[in-house]
Amino acid sequence: MVALKVEIQEGCPNVEVLIQCPEITEDIRRLEALVLSGSPKLLCAKDQKQQLVDRRDVLYIESVDKRCFVYVADDVFETDLKLYELEELLDPAGFFRSAKSQIINIAKIKSLCPDFGGRIEVEMETGEKVIISRQYAKGFKERIGLR
Amino acid sequence: MRKLTEFVMPIKVFAAMIFFGLIGLYVASGILYAAWTGEAIEYAVPFVFVFQSAGLSAVIALLWGLFFGEGIFKNRRFFLRYTLFALSMLIVLAICFFTFLAVPAEWIRMWSLAAFVVFAGTTVFLSFNELYYKRTGERYVEILNAYKKSLR
């Protein structure tokens, strides 16, 4: 059972969330990530250590075997959030669902080139290439004002 | 296991379709060749050809799965994938045609020429497509840059 308690303290400079639990479970980790979703940083993990990754540094996020990986210029982190949660969270911040298992940061796109079959090839600022699949290409064009 | 099944099942279905096509091609070639030369039409398909075309179908379907599936070439452009597929197909067909495939020599020439024309033709067509896509991409980038400015 989860109890939620909100305390209003006048003059408090920051919003503070305290999670009290008997042990760290996957649900707790996801709760942590969701709590931090209001901040401009994403709670990620690498080598069993938690780290905050600035959303602006993220190139793209990929889901592989039900695990979500956050790609930045020279590193990869894992997050406990699901891809659909990340999509909801990051969509207003200039991210776009580019494939069934991928979200890209539009601000980090260097160039675009359409491909056969309605796909769009995307070159990120790092030179890495990803594909916007046919199902999502139309939405992407509408998003950036191509149609 | 699930991943293996996801990879194998579409390839198996595609291989069956190619096999059906190869047998059909054999029969059609026989009829056409007989009509051309005035010889009697031979409807029978050699048993060894059935085995060989089953193997060839599996190889073609595997190459297709390799270059057009969700594997290592997933994030590559279609033009590159197709060119690699066409080249590997020409090599495979050349090996089959000129070594062991149980088909009359006249048909080999006809089939080789047809395969080369199809692959060369589609490669030229796709090359022009690539040029068009590059130009379209430049227009996309201009619009993208305007959108990125609006994000700031």
Side-chain angles (χ1 to χ4, degrees):
Chain A
M1 174 146 171
V2 180
L4 181 67
K5 190 175 163 187
V6 180
E7 277 182 14
I8 299 168
Q9 288 181 5
E10 280 183 28
C12 180
N14 295 315
V15 176
E16 200 177 306
V17 179
L18 173 71
I19 301 170
Q20 287 182 324
C21 55
E23 60 178 341
I24 297 284
T25 61
E26 198 184 321
D27 284 343
I28 297 295
R29 286 204 188 284
R30 290 186 57 230
L31 186 59
E32 276 183 292
L34 276 170
V35 167
L36 281 166
S37 64
S39 84
K41 297 192 181 224
L42 280 174
L43 183 66
C44 300
K46 190 182 179 184
D47 302 329
Q48 312 288 336
K49 285 181 189 166
Q50 289 196 318
Q51 286 184 42
L52 289 170
V53 175
D54 197 316
R55 289 179 195 183
R56 288 166 297 187
D57 295 335
V58 176
L59 293 173
Y60 63 96
I61 300 164
E62 196 172 34
S63 166
V64 181
D65 292 333
K66 295 181 181 173
R67 294 164 71 193
C68 277
F69 296 94
V70 177
Y71 292 80
V72 295
D74 49 7
D75 221 339
V76 184
F77 301 92
E78 193 176 345
T79 174
D80 291 316
L81 289 174
K82 306 280 181 212
L83 201 66
Y84 72 90
E85 290 171 334
L86 287 161
E87 185 188 7
E88 282 173 15
L89 184 70
L90 297 170
D91 191 75
F95 282 72
F96 181 79
R97 180 77 172 257
S98 54
K100 207 168 82 178
S101 60
Q102 190 175 269
I103 296 170
I104 51 169
N105 184 355
I106 300 176
K108 292 285 180 185
I109 297 175
K110 186 180 166 194
S111 68
L112 295 168
C113 189
D115 194 13
F116 203 80
R119 309 186 322 159
I120 300 174
E121 184 190 52
V122 173
E123 186 183 355
M124 306 308 290
E125 281 178 359
T126 51
E128 197 169 346
K129 287 179 178 174
V130 292
I131 295 286
I132 299 176
S133 68
R134 187 170 55 84
Q135 295 94 314
Y136 294 89
K138 192 178 166 222
F140 179 76
K141 285 181 189 173
E142 282 169 3
R143 172 84 176 258
I144 66 168
L146 261 165
R147 278 182 185 175
Chain B
M1 191 63 194
R2 188 174 59 88
K3 278 199 167 183
L4 187 70
T5 314
E6 278 174 4
F7 178 75
V8 169
M9 285 311 284
I11 284 179
K12 202 184 88 174
V13 172
F14 192 50
M17 287 162 66
I18 297 166
F19 176 71
F20 182 74
L22 281 172
I23 297 296
L25 188 67
Y26 188 98
V27 174
S29 297
I31 295 168
L32 278 174
Y33 189 70
W36 182 262
T37 56
E39 290 173 13
I41 297 171
E42 176 59 71
Y43 290 103
V45 178
F47 195 61
V48 64
F49 179 78
V50 175
F51 269 109
Q52 288 172 346
S53 51
L56 182 59
S57 307
V59 172
I60 294 171
L62 270 172
L63 286 173
W64 182 270
L66 174 69
F67 292 116
F68 297 104
E70 295 290 296
I72 46 171
F73 293 97
K74 188 179 122 185
N75 283 350
R76 300 287 168 200
R77 291 190 67 76
F78 184 84
F79 179 71
L80 176 78
R81 298 161 110 183
Y82 183 81
T83 309
L84 290 172
F85 172 73
L87 284 174
S88 50
M89 272 295 297
L90 285 174
I91 293 167
V92 167
L93 290 178
I95 292 168
C96 293
F97 286 171
F98 298 107
T99 53
F100 60 84
L101 204 66
V103 177
E106 290 82 2
W107 298 10
I108 292 286
R109 278 188 223 117
M110 187 173 71
W111 286 12
S112 309
L113 186 69
F116 179 76
V117 167
V118 167
F119 287 129
T122 38
T123 306
V124 169
F125 169 74
L126 287 173
S127 304
F128 281 111
N129 246 1
E130 278 297 288
L131 290 174
Y132 169 73
Y133 285 149
K134 293 280 175 208
R135 283 192 178 175
T136 313
E138 284 165 15
R139 186 172 66 87
Y140 281 17
V141 172
E142 282 172 23
I143 294 164
L144 171 77
N145 288 337
Y147 177 78
K148 278 160 78 172
K149 275 180 193 164
S150 74
L151 282 176
R152 285 168 199 156

mmCIF file with all atom_site columns, all heavy atoms in Angstrom, chain A residues 124-139:
data_model
loop_
_atom_site.group_PDB
_atom_site.id
_atom_site.type_symbol
_atom_site.label_atom_id
_atom_site.label_alt_id
_atom_site.label_comp_id
_atom_site.label_asym_id
_atom_site.label_entity_id
_atom_site.label_seq_id
_atom_site.pdbx_PDB_ins_code
_atom_site.Cartn_x
_atom_site.Cartn_y
_atom_site.Cartn_z
_atom_site.occupancy
_atom_site.B_iso_or_equiv
_atom_site.pdbx_formal_charge
_atom_site.auth_seq_id
_atom_site.auth_comp_id
_atom_site.auth_asym_id
_atom_site.auth_atom_id
_atom_site.pdbx_PDB_model_num
ATOM 1   N N   . MET A 1 124 ? 22.429 12.526 -36.887 1.00 0.00 ? 124 MET A N   1
ATOM 2   C CA  . MET A 1 124 ? 22.492 13.296 -35.648 1.00 0.00 ? 124 MET A CA  1
ATOM 3   C C   . MET A 1 124 ? 23.760 14.166 -35.667 1.00 0.00 ? 124 MET A C   1
ATOM 4   O O   . MET A 1 124 ? 24.626 13.996 -36.522 1.00 0.00 ? 124 MET A O   1
ATOM 5   C CB  . MET A 1 124 ? 22.516 12.367 -34.428 1.00 0.00 ? 124 MET A CB  1
ATOM 6   C CG  . MET A 1 124 ? 21.379 11.368 -34.361 1.00 0.00 ? 124 MET A CG  1
ATOM 7   S SD  . MET A 1 124 ? 19.712 12.038 -34.516 1.00 0.00 ? 124 MET A SD  1
ATOM 8   C CE  . MET A 1 124 ? 19.514 12.909 -32.975 1.00 0.00 ? 124 MET A CE  1
ATOM 9   N N   . GLU A 1 125 ? 23.848 15.088 -34.712 1.00 0.00 ? 125 GLU A N   1
ATOM 10  C CA  . GLU A 1 125 ? 25.004 16.004 -34.669 1.00 0.00 ? 125 GLU A CA  1
ATOM 11  C C   . GLU A 1 125 ? 26.326 15.250 -34.531 1.00 0.00 ? 125 GLU A C   1
ATOM 12  O O   . GLU A 1 125 ? 27.370 15.752 -34.919 1.00 0.00 ? 125 GLU A O   1
ATOM 13  C CB  . GLU A 1 125 ? 24.844 16.989 -33.511 1.00 0.00 ? 125 GLU A CB  1
ATOM 14  C CG  . GLU A 1 125 ? 23.892 18.120 -33.866 1.00 0.00 ? 125 GLU A CG  1
ATOM 15  C CD  . GLU A 1 125 ? 23.665 19.077 -32.734 1.00 0.00 ? 125 GLU A CD  1
ATOM 16  O OE1 . GLU A 1 125 ? 24.232 18.858 -31.638 1.00 0.00 ? 125 GLU A OE1 1
ATOM 17  O OE2 . GLU A 1 125 ? 22.905 20.045 -32.928 1.00 0.00 ? 125 GLU A OE2 1
ATOM 18  N N   . THR A 1 126 ? 26.265 14.056 -33.974 1.00 0.00 ? 126 THR A N   1
ATOM 19  C CA  . THR A 1 126 ? 27.487 13.272 -33.789 1.00 0.00 ? 126 THR A CA  1
ATOM 20  C C   . THR A 1 126 ? 27.870 12.496 -35.058 1.00 0.00 ? 126 THR A C   1
ATOM 21  O O   . THR A 1 126 ? 28.895 11.828 -35.090 1.00 0.00 ? 126 THR A O   1
ATOM 22  C CB  . THR A 1 126 ? 27.283 12.245 -32.662 1.00 0.00 ? 126 THR A CB  1
ATOM 23  O OG1 . THR A 1 126 ? 26.074 11.533 -32.935 1.00 0.00 ? 126 THR A OG1 1
ATOM 24  C CG2 . THR A 1 126 ? 27.210 12.891 -31.308 1.00 0.00 ? 126 THR A CG2 1
ATOM 25  N N   . GLY A 1 127 ? 27.026 12.556 -36.059 1.00 0.00 ? 127 GLY A N   1
ATOM 26  C CA  . GLY A 1 127 ? 27.279 11.810 -37.296 1.00 0.00 ? 127 GLY A CA  1
ATOM 27  C C   . GLY A 1 127 ? 26.578 10.464 -37.314 1.00 0.00 ? 127 GLY A C   1
ATOM 28  O O   . GLY A 1 127 ? 26.537 9.790  -38.345 1.00 0.00 ? 127 GLY A O   1
ATOM 29  N N   . GLU A 1 128 ? 26.021 10.077 -36.183 1.00 0.00 ? 128 GLU A N   1
ATOM 30  C CA  . GLU A 1 128 ? 25.306 8.798  -36.093 1.00 0.00 ? 128 GLU A CA  1
ATOM 31  C C   . GLU A 1 128 ? 24.004 8.879  -36.901 1.00 0.00 ? 128 GLU A C   1
ATOM 32  O O   . GLU A 1 128 ? 23.350 9.928  -36.911 1.00 0.00 ? 128 GLU A O   1
ATOM 33  C CB  . GLU A 1 128 ? 24.984 8.505  -34.630 1.00 0.00 ? 128 GLU A CB  1
ATOM 34  C CG  . GLU A 1 128 ? 24.630 7.076  -34.386 1.00 0.00 ? 128 GLU A CG  1
ATOM 35  C CD  . GLU A 1 128 ? 24.581 6.743  -32.896 1.00 0.00 ? 128 GLU A CD  1
ATOM 36  O OE1 . GLU A 1 128 ? 25.071 7.544  -32.082 1.00 0.00 ? 128 GLU A OE1 1
ATOM 37  O OE2 . GLU A 1 128 ? 24.055 5.699  -32.574 1.00 0.00 ? 128 GLU A OE2 1
ATOM 38  N N   . LYS A 1 129 ? 23.672 7.794  -37.579 1.00 0.00 ? 129 LYS A N   1
ATOM 39  C CA  . LYS A 1 129 ? 22.468 7.810  -38.403 1.00 0.00 ? 129 LYS A CA  1
ATOM 40  C C   . LYS A 1 129 ? 21.379 6.912  -37.824 1.00 0.00 ? 129 LYS A C   1
ATOM 41  O O   . LYS A 1 129 ? 21.657 5.775  -37.445 1.00 0.00 ? 129 LYS A O   1
ATOM 42  C CB  . LYS A 1 129 ? 22.803 7.383  -39.825 1.00 0.00 ? 129 LYS A CB  1
ATOM 43  C CG  . LYS A 1 129 ? 23.560 8.479  -40.557 1.00 0.00 ? 129 LYS A CG  1
ATOM 44  C CD  . LYS A 1 129 ? 23.938 8.108  -41.942 1.00 0.00 ? 129 LYS A CD  1
ATOM 45  C CE  . LYS A 1 129 ? 24.641 9.291  -42.594 1.00 0.00 ? 129 LYS A CE  1
ATOM 46  N NZ  . LYS A 1 129 ? 25.177 8.981  -43.894 1.00 0.00 ? 129 LYS A NZ  1
ATOM 47  N N   . VAL A 1 130 ? 20.181 7.456  -37.766 1.00 0.00 ? 130 VAL A N   1
ATOM 48  C CA  . VAL A 1 130 ? 19.022 6.672  -37.325 1.00 0.00 ? 130 VAL A CA  1
ATOM 49  C C   . VAL A 1 130 ? 17.910 6.858  -38.369 1.00 0.00 ? 130 VAL A C   1
ATOM 50  O O   . VAL A 1 130 ? 18.004 7.736  -39.215 1.00 0.00 ? 130 VAL A O   1
ATOM 51  C CB  . VAL A 1 130 ? 18.516 7.093  -35.919 1.00 0.00 ? 130 VAL A CB  1
ATOM 52  C CG1 . VAL A 1 130 ? 19.510 6.748  -34.843 1.00 0.00 ? 130 VAL A CG1 1
ATOM 53  C CG2 . VAL A 1 130 ? 18.175 8.563  -35.865 1.00 0.00 ? 130 VAL A CG2 1
ATOM 54  N N   . ILE A 1 131 ? 16.909 6.018  -38.273 1.00 0.00 ? 131 ILE A N   1
ATOM 55  C CA  . ILE A 1 131 ? 15.841 6.039  -39.278 1.00 0.00 ? 131 ILE A CA  1
ATOM 56  C C   . ILE A 1 131 ? 14.503 6.384  -38.624 1.00 0.00 ? 131 ILE A C   1
ATOM 57  O O   . ILE A 1 131 ? 14.162 5.860  -37.568 1.00 0.00 ? 131 ILE A O   1
ATOM 58  C CB  . ILE A 1 131 ? 15.730 4.655  -39.972 1.00 0.00 ? 131 ILE A CB  1
ATOM 59  C CG1 . ILE A 1 131 ? 16.998 4.335  -40.770 1.00 0.00 ? 131 ILE A CG1 1
ATOM 60  C CG2 . ILE A 1 131 ? 14.492 4.556  -40.852 1.00 0.00 ? 131 ILE A CG2 1
ATOM 61  C CD1 . ILE A 1 131 ? 17.177 5.092  -42.059 1.00 0.00 ? 131 ILE A CD1 1
ATOM 62  N N   . ILE A 1 132 ? 13.769 7.282  -39.283 1.00 0.00 ? 132 ILE A N   1
ATOM 63  C CA  . ILE A 1 132 ? 12.377 7.520  -38.875 1.00 0.00 ? 132 ILE A CA  1
ATOM 64  C C   . ILE A 1 132 ? 11.541 6.587  -39.752 1.00 0.00 ? 132 ILE A C   1
ATOM 65  O O   . ILE A 1 132 ? 11.572 6.691  -40.982 1.00 0.00 ? 132 ILE A O   1
ATOM 66  C CB  . ILE A 1 132 ? 11.951 8.987  -39.096 1.00 0.00 ? 132 ILE A CB  1
ATOM 67  C CG1 . ILE A 1 132 ? 12.828 9.929  -38.255 1.00 0.00 ? 132 ILE A CG1 1
ATOM 68  C CG2 . ILE A 1 132 ? 10.477 9.181  -38.736 1.00 0.00 ? 132 ILE A CG2 1
ATOM 69  C CD1 . ILE A 1 132 ? 12.543 11.398 -38.476 1.00 0.00 ? 132 ILE A CD1 1
ATOM 70  N N   . SER A 1 133 ? 10.842 5.669  -39.109 1.00 0.00 ? 133 SER A N   1
ATOM 71  C CA  . SER A 1 133 ? 10.137 4.651  -39.888 1.00 0.00 ? 133 SER A CA  1
ATOM 72  C C   . SER A 1 133 ? 8.935  5.253  -40.614 1.00 0.00 ? 133 SER A C   1
ATOM 73  O O   . SER A 1 133 ? 8.467  6.344  -40.282 1.00 0.00 ? 133 SER A O   1
ATOM 74  C CB  . SER A 1 133 ? 9.708  3.491  -39.003 1.00 0.00 ? 133 SER A CB  1
ATOM 75  O OG  . SER A 1 133 ? 8.717  3.923  -38.118 1.00 0.00 ? 133 SER A OG  1
ATOM 76  N N   . ARG A 1 134 ? 8.454  4.513  -41.616 1.00 0.00 ? 134 ARG A N   1
ATOM 77  C CA  . ARG A 1 134 ? 7.364  4.998  -42.469 1.00 0.00 ? 134 ARG A CA  1
ATOM 78  C C   . ARG A 1 134 ? 6.143  5.412  -41.652 1.00 0.00 ? 134 ARG A C   1
ATOM 79  O O   . ARG A 1 134 ? 5.518  6.437  -41.935 1.00 0.00 ? 134 ARG A O   1
ATOM 80  C CB  . ARG A 1 134 ? 6.986  3.882  -43.450 1.00 0.00 ? 134 ARG A CB  1
ATOM 81  C CG  . ARG A 1 134 ? 6.003  4.269  -44.514 1.00 0.00 ? 134 ARG A CG  1
ATOM 82  C CD  . ARG A 1 134 ? 5.903  3.175  -45.551 1.00 0.00 ? 134 ARG A CD  1
ATOM 83  N NE  . ARG A 1 134 ? 5.578  1.887  -44.958 1.00 0.00 ? 134 ARG A NE  1
ATOM 84  C CZ  . ARG A 1 134 ? 4.344  1.473  -44.673 1.00 0.00 ? 134 ARG A CZ  1
ATOM 85  N NH1 . ARG A 1 134 ? 3.326  2.253  -44.937 1.00 0.00 ? 134 ARG A NH1 1
ATOM 86  N NH2 . ARG A 1 134 ? 4.125  0.284  -44.147 1.00 0.00 ? 134 ARG A NH2 1
ATOM 87  N N   . GLN A 1 135 ? 5.814  4.624  -40.619 1.00 0.00 ? 135 GLN A N   1
ATOM 88  C CA  . GLN A 1 135 ? 4.609  4.906  -39.826 1.00 0.00 ? 135 GLN A CA  1
ATOM 89  C C   . GLN A 1 135 ? 4.703  6.257  -39.117 1.00 0.00 ? 135 GLN A C   1
ATOM 90  O O   . GLN A 1 135 ? 3.700  6.880  -38.823 1.00 0.00 ? 135 GLN A O   1
ATOM 91  C CB  . GLN A 1 135 ? 4.376  3.827  -38.763 1.00 0.00 ? 135 GLN A CB  1
ATOM 92  C CG  . GLN A 1 135 ? 4.061  2.460  -39.314 1.00 0.00 ? 135 GLN A CG  1
ATOM 93  C CD  . GLN A 1 135 ? 5.293  1.604  -39.443 1.00 0.00 ? 135 GLN A CD  1
ATOM 94  O OE1 . GLN A 1 135 ? 6.327  2.048  -39.937 1.00 0.00 ? 135 GLN A OE1 1
ATOM 95  N NE2 . GLN A 1 135 ? 5.204  0.366  -39.006 1.00 0.00 ? 135 GLN A NE2 1
ATOM 96  N N   . TYR A 1 136 ? 5.928  6.681  -38.769 1.00 0.00 ? 136 TYR A N   1
ATOM 97  C CA  . TYR A 1 136 ? 6.096  7.906  -37.992 1.00 0.00 ? 136 TYR A CA  1
ATOM 98  C C   . TYR A 1 136 ? 6.564  9.080  -38.849 1.00 0.00 ? 136 TYR A C   1
ATOM 99  O O   . TYR A 1 136 ? 6.610  10.210 -38.368 1.00 0.00 ? 136 TYR A O   1
ATOM 100 C CB  . TYR A 1 136 ? 7.091  7.662  -36.852 1.00 0.00 ? 136 TYR A CB  1
ATOM 101 C CG  . TYR A 1 136 ? 6.573  6.678  -35.831 1.00 0.00 ? 136 TYR A CG  1
ATOM 102 C CD1 . TYR A 1 136 ? 6.804  5.314  -35.967 1.00 0.00 ? 136 TYR A CD1 1
ATOM 103 C CD2 . TYR A 1 136 ? 5.820  7.095  -34.745 1.00 0.00 ? 136 TYR A CD2 1
ATOM 104 C CE1 . TYR A 1 136 ? 6.319  4.389  -35.060 1.00 0.00 ? 136 TYR A CE1 1
ATOM 105 C CE2 . TYR A 1 136 ? 5.322  6.185  -33.828 1.00 0.00 ? 136 TYR A CE2 1
ATOM 106 C CZ  . TYR A 1 136 ? 5.576  4.825  -33.993 1.00 0.00 ? 136 TYR A CZ  1
ATOM 107 O OH  . TYR A 1 136 ? 5.082  3.930  -33.082 1.00 0.00 ? 136 TYR A OH  1
ATOM 108 N N   . ALA A 1 137 ? 6.945  8.812  -40.113 1.00 0.00 ? 137 ALA A N   1
ATOM 109 C CA  . ALA A 1 137 ? 7.511  9.871  -40.960 1.00 0.00 ? 137 ALA A CA  1
ATOM 110 C C   . ALA A 1 137 ? 6.496  10.990 -41.230 1.00 0.00 ? 137 ALA A C   1
ATOM 111 O O   . ALA A 1 137 ? 6.854  12.172 -41.214 1.00 0.00 ? 137 ALA A O   1
ATOM 112 C CB  . ALA A 1 137 ? 7.990  9.269  -42.277 1.00 0.00 ? 137 ALA A CB  1
ATOM 113 N N   . LYS A 1 138 ? 5.243  10.603 -41.438 1.00 0.00 ? 138 LYS A N   1
ATOM 114 C CA  . LYS A 1 138 ? 4.209  11.599 -41.734 1.00 0.00 ? 138 LYS A CA  1
ATOM 115 C C   . LYS A 1 138 ? 4.048  12.558 -40.535 1.00 0.00 ? 138 LYS A C   1
ATOM 116 O O   . LYS A 1 138 ? 4.001  13.778 -40.708 1.00 0.00 ? 138 LYS A O   1
ATOM 117 C CB  . LYS A 1 138 ? 2.889  10.887 -42.032 1.00 0.00 ? 138 LYS A CB  1
ATOM 118 C CG  . LYS A 1 138 ? 1.837  11.790 -42.618 1.00 0.00 ? 138 LYS A CG  1
ATOM 119 C CD  . LYS A 1 138 ? 0.560  11.023 -42.929 1.00 0.00 ? 138 LYS A CD  1
ATOM 120 C CE  . LYS A 1 138 ? -0.567 12.006 -43.178 1.00 0.00 ? 138 LYS A CE  1
ATOM 121 N NZ  . LYS A 1 138 ? -1.814 11.610 -42.569 1.00 0.00 ? 138 LYS A NZ  1
ATOM 122 N N   . GLY A 1 139 ? 3.977  11.974 -39.354 1.00 0.00 ? 139 GLY A N   1
ATOM 123 C CA  . GLY A 1 139 ? 3.849  12.773 -38.137 1.00 0.00 ? 139 GLY A CA  1
ATOM 124 C C   . GLY A 1 139 ? 5.036  13.705 -37.935 1.00 0.00 ? 139 GLY A C   1
ATOM 125 O O   . GLY A 1 139 ? 4.884  14.846 -37.483 1.00 0.00 ? 139 GLY A O   1
#
